[in-house]
């Protein structure tokens, strides 16, 4: 009887842990999204020279994507450019790159904070 209770308890604990992990992931995703949009808006409004430079650099990244796609998938290059690469402008690529950078910085900060707490807890 007690073994059945421990199996049931561990099953529900696993479900609760999974739900909490999914909720934590969703919260982190929303935080990263909002932070990336705030960084993009800040650059566009307050640092127009830097924003213009980054848009020009993002255009070069988009050009590299298209040439790589033409190199590795020559049969699908025209369709891909018409559907995917043609729709993505340099500002969209810049927003994606800012999102990656902001997400990486947030995850690095969380990792460092957890390392510090673990060091003090040990």
């Amino acid at each position: 009887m007690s073994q059945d209770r421990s199996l049931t308890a561990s099953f529900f604990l696993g479900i609760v842990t999974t739900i909490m992990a999914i909720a934590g992931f969703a919260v982190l995703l929303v935080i990263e999204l909002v932070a990336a949009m705030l960084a993009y808006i800040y650059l566009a409004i307050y640092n127009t020279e830097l924003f213009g430079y980054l848009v020009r650099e993002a255009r070069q990244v988009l050009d590299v994507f298209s040439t790589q796609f033409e190199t590795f998938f020559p049969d699908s290059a025209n369709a891909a450019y018409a559907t995917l690469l043609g729709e993505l402008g340099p500002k969209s690529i810049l927003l994606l790159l800012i999102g990656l950078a902001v997400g990486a910085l947030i995850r690095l900060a969380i990792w460092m904070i957890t390392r510090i707490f673990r060091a003090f807890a040990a």
Side-chain angles (χ1 to χ4, degrees):
M1 183 65 86
S2 96
Q3 192 174 25
D4 290 339
R5 286 186 183 171
S6 66
L7 279 174
T8 305
S10 65
F11 175 73
F12 284 120
L13 182 63
I15 289 176
V16 169
T17 304
T18 303
I19 290 172
M20 289 179 63
I22 291 171
F25 176 75
V27 167
L28 184 61
L29 187 66
V30 168
I31 290 170
E32 289 175 1
L33 178 67
V34 169
M37 286 302 298
L38 289 175
Y40 183 83
I41 290 169
Y42 173 79
L43 286 172
I45 293 174
Y46 295 110
N47 286 332
T48 54
E49 293 175 11
L50 178 61
F51 183 74
Y53 171 75
L54 291 174
V55 168
R56 286 189 298 277
E57 293 298 318
R59 180 68 195 161
Q60 291 179 1
V61 170
L62 188 60
D63 290 341
V64 168
F65 283 162
S66 64
T67 56
Q68 292 296 319
F69 203 88
E70 290 171 1
T71 302
F72 292 111
F73 305 106
D75 297 336
S76 304
N78 287 337
Y81 191 79
T83 57
L84 177 65
L85 296 175
E87 295 294 324
L88 290 176
K91 289 182 183 177
S92 299
I93 294 293
L94 177 61
L95 182 58
L96 289 171
L97 294 173
I98 288 173
L100 287 172
V102 166
L105 288 174
I106 289 173
R107 290 172 190 261
L108 176 67
I110 291 172
W111 178 78
M112 288 173 48
I113 290 169
T114 56
R115 294 282 294 193
I116 290 170
F117 281 139
R118 285 182 186 163
F120 285 125

